[in-house]
Amino acid sequence: FKEFKAQSVSEFFKKNAAMLGYTGKIRSLTTIVHEGVTNSLDACEEAGILPEISVWVEELGTEHYRVTMEDNASGIPLEYVPQVFGRMLAGSKAHRNIQSRGQQGIGVSGAVMFSQVTTGKPTSFLTSTGDTHIVKGRVQLDVKRNLGEIVDKEKLHNTSGWRGTVIAHEAKGVLYNKSRYSPYNYLRMTSIANPHARITFIEPDGTRILFERSTTLVPKPPKAIKPHPYGITPDDLLTMASNTDAKKLGAFLEKEFVRISSAKAEEIASLSGVSLAQQPARLSWDDAERVVNAFKATKFFAPPTEGLRPIGGEEIAKSLTSTLSPEFTQTITRAPQTFRGGILFVVEAGLAYGGKAGKGGIEIIRYANRAPLIFDQGGCAITEAVKSVDWKRYGVRDVEKVPLTVFVNIVSTHVPYTSAGKQALAMEEEIHAEVRYALMDCGRALSRFLAGKRKLYERRSK
Amino acid sequence: FKEFKAQSVSEFFKKNAAMLGYTGKIRSLTTIVHEGVTNSLDACEEAGILPEISVWVEELGTEHYRVTMEDNASGIPLEYVPQVFGRMLAGSKAHRNIQSRGQQGIGVSGAVMFSQVTTGKPTSFLTSTGDTHIVKGRVQLDVKRNLGEIVDKEKLHNTSGWRGTVIAHEAKGVLYNKSRYSPYNYLRMTSIANPHARITFIEPDGTRILFERSTTLVPKPPKAIKPHPYGITPDDLLTMASNTDAKKLGAFLEKEFVRISSAKAEEIASLSGVSLAQQPARLSWDDAERVVNAFKATKFFAPPTEGLRPIGGEEIAKSLTSTLSPEFTQTITRAPQTFRGGILFVVEAGLAYGGKAGKGGIEIIRYANRAPLIFDQGGCAITEAVKSVDWKRYGVRDVEKVPLTVFVNIVSTHVPYTSAGKQALAMEEEIHAEVRYALMDCGRALSRFLAGKRKLYERRSK
Ligand SMILES: Nc1ncnc2c1ncn2[C@@H]1O[C@H](COP(=O)(O)OP(=O)(O)OP(=O)(O)O)[C@@H](O)[C@H]1O
Ligand SMILES: Nc1ncnc2c1ncn2[C@@H]1O[C@H](COP(=O)(O)OP(=O)(O)OP(=O)(O)O)[C@@H](O)[C@H]1O
Ligand SMILES: [Mg+2]
Ligand SMILES: [Mg+2]
């Protein structure tokens, strides 16, 4: 045991950078873009701002690039800069029950780490919250202590009242191309699911590509949603009880959960045998188990719909039509459900048949909280759910050749990813079932369309 | 930014327990067994002890089990018990360049956390380093602070001089069955790759299964291996330079790397233009880049073979034959190579054709450092490498029906996993290439065998 040592979370992710998506030259570059763009979209949406995002990739040498990203979001107060850019597991989203693309507090610090480790250089930033000055500087990450350090900074006069953030990462051992895994396709997929964002992309050869917004409707800022009693575990209940400021169990149940009225709280008390006057912080494990069992025996309304922001069936159909020119599309947004821990989620799906749909067989397009999942398709529960559908029943003769694109978007206050790289969903039974129902629902419409097409074909050939 | 907060690494993995393998009822139970057994095997091997491991799974209620694991390893000194069982990112393996099944310092703390979160109960332990007393107690994990706490303990007289560790986790929301993903199959696969271990398994219905050892040869304890200059990055060099006690660059190069003699160090100095008298801690990024470029331009002997412990072609063939009774087997152990960071690895592979081989098409059996990879086959680089081989060239007509089992084991001082659950390898070009070469080599032998078989068949049917 003389060798026994602890390490910091940054040391762990530096050694295991593949877990954050920094594996392979093309994916590493796209991951840097992904971390910046998801943060910008989240910050814009939270502040109710129509996103103007630009991404500029410059080639500085062989496998040596600089990625500069600018947004018009809320800006980052100077005192938070070291934590935002240099401290893993620190952020504004991880501990809140809110739909957002980020949820770990690791993303941008990971990009700072990767570029620092490959070039020895800090990350440059420029940010303002819209007040009288703009802060410009460079920041790096102290891996051993998991802390951010501002290397240098200066304050500039903010004459135009600019608000937003610009980040520039320099990285080596990365590569730009226009494959399915490149920054170009990532931004295209991002604009499909975020019709309110205008994204400008400048490629290394100087080509400017504008992904114009197709709606000026700003999605209502996501709202923190309380957990629903279904799916709560005794440990969740105890953790919530230790963090609440409600003095009694009754008030705690009504305040911290959705769908629990005072009448419902009474019902729970009588079913569980735990008094509503009990102080939440003094609940025992047995009490918690009894309350949770009472939840399971009680009828609650379904989770509310206003907290989550799906893309919407119409928007999905519009996007599928404009990118694939299919003969047939069908979309669906299912009702909210819950999985482990009372976590709300909504599944929406779409099918596109014919035109440019399919890639020599079924093509799967996956999103989580409107962020595209480009990598790790093989290890994703969405892929498994798509494969588990018996497509033959819906008129698909050969899954290896059919011109069919399957679109799935999961929105939730906590997306269960398989790894910190956030590109694949872990298997949760409730999510798997919902994806299947959504696809089978669309499948039935597809089967009617294909039957009609076949009839038409047979009539003509008679 | 009023909501900005940091969280501990245990809070992160509690919320994202799926990243540690606690997803689904069957997998969660097997993951608890996996964490305990890999630790026991590691501890036995490090101490040069022939492993005697027993695993006992008891059903206490519906989806409520207790898993008790005992080993005859070195035991855990009392002062380390809180860190071993209750602190994530603390251990004896993460910071050493040594082949071991564990490498993150998270495993057993994850199992403590999962069982505590599902039952509210601490984990029981019994341990002795072989001295006069045995410590018995219970330990839990303080999630907010990522610290272990001994709930209660007592010291017992160690009359028999017993040495080892017993751990008992109680967990809910888990399930025992005998599928491919169950503890039973996990232990069977473990015993195939660890012929020196005797593993006793007691099922919930009381059935005792003995996986007897097939060799009494204790593998030589793994040795810490220094990195090889190929694959080193400037950041690696600077990190090593800041941790070395060598006073000059020359001594640093000779001491901290394999295959660098004083003559080689001279060559590197003249190629890079960096003086050997330079103090390692004062190397700049530019110096480091020049030295690394000089490494790339220098010829070094291949990495040494004595540090890594592959299973061995003979043992693999023996195991494949005894479990699958195939008509044909072919195995290979490739020479050591390096990937990113100068990390040594060896690929060994085997094919088994006929008999019980294959599962309605190619079956893949994966190992890393002799630990079976049961889950996440879809997202693993080994699977991709197996699929990338053109099996038709080796006489395999139909990959969906062929009775072929492909066995791959990767040994390394650092296995690049895709997530902290350690069940799938991330894509590293060098590893992917080596797996392909190993399989193509075995494939050539298979193709000769199948051609022979066909000739025989044709001769007979004339
Ligand atoms: N462009 C930005 N504008 C405003 N705030 C930002 C911006 N980028 C990051 N932040 C803030 O910094 C925090 C840390 O960002 P980071 O990407 O590390 O984590 P995250 O987005 O919370 O989660 P994840 O690790 O899943 O991405 C965010 O939570 C947010 O509060
Ligand atoms: N049965 C055991 N006997 C002796 N020492 C043990 C035993 N189990 C754990 N340890 C010690 O406790 C440490 C922590 O174990 P843990 O499983 O958390 O991490 P690890 O094995 O180092 O890495 P990983 O997270 O990859 O499993 C180990 O590094 C080892 O030093
Ligand atoms: Mg983020
Ligand atoms: Mg371990």
Side-chain angles (χ1 to χ4, degrees), chain A residues 127-134 156-163:
Chain A
T127 189
S128 172
T129 56
D131 58 13
T132 56
H133 60 271
I134 296 175
L156 312 169
H157 279 298
N158 185 3
T159 48
S160 62
W162 176 71
R163 184 183 52 188

Side-chain angles (χ1 to χ4, degrees), chain A residues 34-36 38-39 42 93 101-108 422:
Chain A
H34 164 68
E35 296 302 353
T38 49
N39 281 343
D42 275 349
K93 307 163 199 171
R101 296 161 187 77
Q103 64 181 33
Q104 303 180 153
I106 296 175
V108 68
K422 299 190 315 183

Side-chain angles (χ1 to χ4, degrees), chain A residues 121-423:
Chain A
K121 296 201 178 127
T123 289
S124 308
F125 68 89
L126 200 70
T127 189
S128 172
T129 56
D131 58 13
T132 56
H133 60 271
I134 296 175
V135 182
K136 178 182 156 114
R138 294 186 310 160
V139 64
Q140 65 188 19
L141 186 142
D142 176 338
V143 174
K144 271 210 182 350
R145 295 183 308 152
N146 185 32
L147 287 177
E149 293 168 343
I150 294 183
V151 175
D152 53 42
K153 70 171 186 293
E154 56 178 312
K155 285 197 179 169
L156 312 169
H157 279 298
N158 185 3
T159 48
S160 62
W162 176 71
R163 184 183 52 188
T165 302
V166 180
I167 305 174
H169 300 285
E170 221 181 284
K172 286 189 177 169
V174 294
L175 195 64
Y176 181 81
N177 70 9
K178 287 186 78 159
S179 74
R180 173 189 169 83
Y181 299 111
S182 72
Y184 169 76
N185 190 45
Y186 175 82
L187 293 173
R188 192 176 68 87
M189 298 268 286
T190 297
S191 97
I192 286 176
N194 297 279
H196 60 301
R198 173 189 297 163
I199 302 174
T200 308
F201 179 48
I202 306 169
E203 294 190 275
D205 64 3
T207 315
R208 277 177 90 89
I209 298 164
L210 179 64
F211 297 102
E212 184 55 83
R213 63 170 58 95
S214 56
T215 158
T216 54
L217 212 63
V218 184
K220 274 200 252 98
K223 254 175 41 192
I225 317 168
K226 295 174 194 148
H228 187 277
Y230 281 149
I232 282 286
T233 67
D235 178 76
D236 297 318
L237 195 80
L238 290 175
T239 305
M240 291 167 71
S242 69
N243 294 331
T244 184
D245 47 16
K247 296 277 174 283
K248 298 214 167 72
L249 180 65
F252 164 68
L253 290 176
E254 285 174 53
K255 178 173 153 42
E256 303 290 348
F257 291 93
V258 292
R259 300 309 194 213
I260 298 186
S261 59
S262 60
K264 280 290 171 202
E266 293 287 349
E267 204 182 321
I268 292 162
S270 69
L271 267 167
S272 66
V274 181
S275 150
L276 290 180
Q278 166 77 295
Q279 267 183 321
R282 296 165 62 89
L283 277 175
S284 70
W285 181 272
D286 280 344
D287 295 338
E289 275 198 328
R290 276 202 286 275
V291 168
V292 165
N293 289 338
F295 281 170
K296 289 181 183 144
T298 308
K299 280 221 181 320
F300 296 103
F301 283 113
T305 55
E306 75 270 357
L308 293 175
R309 309 260 172 274
I311 300 171
E314 234 175 274
E315 289 295 340
I316 296 173
K318 238 189 242 140
S319 295
L320 288 173
T321 305
S322 70
T323 44
L324 300 169
S325 325
E327 301 166 39
F328 163 85
T329 60
Q330 179 76 14
T331 58
I332 183 171
T333 300
R334 299 270 303 175
Q337 302 287 335
T338 65
F339 70 97
R340 181 174 52 74
I343 298 168
L344 267 75
F345 75 96
V346 162
V347 165
E348 42 187 3
L351 295 182
Y353 181 92
K356 287 186 256 159
K359 264 192 165 26
I362 294 184
E363 170 187 28
I364 305 172
I365 295 180
R366 299 171 294 138
Y367 285 91
N369 281 351
R370 296 169 173 258
L373 306 179
I374 306 254
F375 305 102
D376 300 337
Q377 174 159 317
C380 181
I382 294 176
T383 309
E384 269 168 67
V386 171
K387 289 200 172 135
S388 76
V389 170
D390 178 8
W391 294 101
K392 288 199 177 45
R393 281 181 48 200
Y394 304 110
V396 173
R397 297 264 166 86
D398 180 355
V399 288
E400 304 287 330
K401 296 203 180 71
V402 63
L404 179 66
T405 292
V406 174
F407 176 105
V408 176
N409 177 43
I410 312 259
V411 292
S412 174
T413 55
H414 178 74
V415 177
Y417 292 109
T418 57
S419 93
K422 299 190 315 183
Q423 287 293 314

